């Protein structure tokens, strides 16, 4: 079955540590890729997106993601996290039928 | 202040009762969506509507119904046929829906439904 996989369910790290969240998808053909973030008590909001061109995409709050087509991956990175990055992160893929499929989410806890 | 509102924030119902969740947007978006969020499963698409008076089933439509009589409103009814209705329900909207890969979805605050 076609799916979006996020490798880590819960990540705990200290402030200033580097963060990388894995995302793999199994859809063939052209896809559009997204990372959404849900901060505690807030709406789900877009962090960054990839449609075409440079596979390294920069988003808000210092996040970036790299699309590697050969690996069907779209991993999210941040070089130095802050306590305020504590949130749940969702990878999503826009399929050929233009519907969004979401991964299960990764909860990130940053310790001060 | 533009955005998507969902009401109520928390909803409790007895088993066997139908319940309707509200979603309103003032972004002038054509497309609206309903998702269900369960722990460890991410968001799953229930129904979506690309234009007024038209809607399509998503991946998990069984036990749910929707209507789209107005552009700004897309209520979701959780019927008694839904076997596991307790969940967090998210409504979203986008400018024009299918056909545009750059079309971004904006999400509401969600309604947490608990069926007792």
């Amino acid at each position: 079955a076609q799916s979006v996989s996020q490798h880590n369910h819960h990540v705990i790290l200290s402030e200033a540590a580097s963060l990388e969240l894995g995302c793999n998808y199994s859809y063939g053909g052209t896809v559009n890729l997204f990372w959404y973030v849900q901060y505690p008590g807030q709406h789900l909001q877009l962090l960054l997106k990839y449609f075409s061109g440079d596979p390294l995409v920069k988003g808000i709050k210092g996040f970036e993601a790299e699309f590697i087509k050969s690996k069907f991956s779209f991993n999210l990175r941040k070089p130095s996290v802050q306590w305020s990055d504590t949130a749940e992160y969702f990878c999503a893929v826009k399929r050929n039928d233009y519907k969004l499929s979401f991964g299960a989410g990764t909860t990130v806890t940053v310790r001060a | 202040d533009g955005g998507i509102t969902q009401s109520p924030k928390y909803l409790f119902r007895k088993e066997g009762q139908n319940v309707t969740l509200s979603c309103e947007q003032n972004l002038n978006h054509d497309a609206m969506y309903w998702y269900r969020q369960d722990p460890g499963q991410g968001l799953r698409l229930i129904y979506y509507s690309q234009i007024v008076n038209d809607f399509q089933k998503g991946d998990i439509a069984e036990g749910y119904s929707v209507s789209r009589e107005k552009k700004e409103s897309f209520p979701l009814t959780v019927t008694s046929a839904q076997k596991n209705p307790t969940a967090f329900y998210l409504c979203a909207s986008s400018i024009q829906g299918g056909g545009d890969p750059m079309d971004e979805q904006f999400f509401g605050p969600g309604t947490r439904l608990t069926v007792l």
Side-chain angles (χ1 to χ4, degrees):
Chain A
Q2 297 176 325
S3 66
V4 181
S5 299
Q6 292 184 238
H7 310 305
N8 308 99
H9 178 62
H10 193 182
V11 172
I12 302 172
L13 59 169
S14 300
E15 277 193 312
S18 64
L19 173 70
E20 180 161 1
L21 303 181
C23 174
N24 285 88
Y25 61 93
S26 62
Y27 300 101
T30 302
V31 292
N32 304 118
L33 303 159
F34 304 78
W35 275 97
Y36 281 86
V37 60
Q38 192 169 33
Y39 296 104
Q42 295 189 28
H43 299 200
L44 196 69
Q45 58 185 285
L46 184 68
L47 203 53
L48 50 78
K49 57 188 176 184
Y50 171 81
F51 294 103
S52 62
D54 189 346
L56 186 61
V57 180
K58 294 195 183 300
I60 60 172
K61 304 188 181 186
F63 285 90
E64 64 180 29
E66 184 176 12
F67 170 52
I68 302 179
K69 189 174 181 179
S70 60
K71 294 185 177 180
F72 296 87
S73 70
F74 190 54
N75 293 354
L76 180 71
R77 298 194 292 252
K78 185 170 183 177
S80 176
V81 295
Q82 301 171 314
W83 177 80
S84 58
D85 293 321
T86 294
E88 190 160 17
Y89 294 80
F90 294 93
C91 180
V93 175
K94 185 171 281 191
R95 300 146 18 180
N96 290 338
D97 58 5
Y98 301 104
K99 297 177 195 170
L100 271 181
S101 288
F102 285 83
T106 298
T107 300
V108 173
T109 301
V110 180
R111 292 178 174 159
Chain B
D1 190 21
I4 303 171
T5 56
Q6 292 184 243
S7 61
K9 188 173 181 178
Y10 299 96
L11 190 55
F12 297 88
R13 279 294 181 269
K14 291 183 179 179
E15 194 171 345
Q17 290 182 333
N18 290 357
V19 60
T20 298
L21 281 58
S22 166
C23 177
E24 304 278 331
Q25 54 98 1
N26 61 5
L27 300 169
N28 200 33
H29 287 172
D30 282 328
M32 297 187 74
Y33 312 80
W34 273 105
Y35 292 90
R36 170 182 172 139
Q37 185 178 6
D38 295 283
Q41 295 194 54
L43 280 71
R44 291 180 290 168
L45 183 64
I46 303 172
Y47 266 99
Y48 65 104
S49 168
Q50 293 182 310
I51 200 166
V52 174
N53 293 322
D54 186 46
F55 50 82
Q56 287 82 40
K57 292 181 179 180
D59 299 319
I60 55 164
E62 186 176 349
Y64 299 97
S65 65
V66 294
S67 63
R68 186 83 187 278
E69 296 176 2
K70 297 186 294 183
K71 185 176 185 177
E72 58 271 22
S73 179
F74 191 41
L76 173 74
T77 297
V78 184
T79 75
S80 57
Q82 168 51 233
K83 291 181 171 37
N84 296 296
T86 294
F88 188 55
Y89 290 88
L90 283 167
C91 178
S93 71
S94 65
I95 292 176
Q96 64 176 66
D100 179 3
M102 300 186 71
D103 193 46
E104 175 187 339
Q105 292 185 22
F106 296 84
F107 286 82
T111 293
R112 189 166 298 279
L113 172 65
T114 301
V115 176
L116 306 170

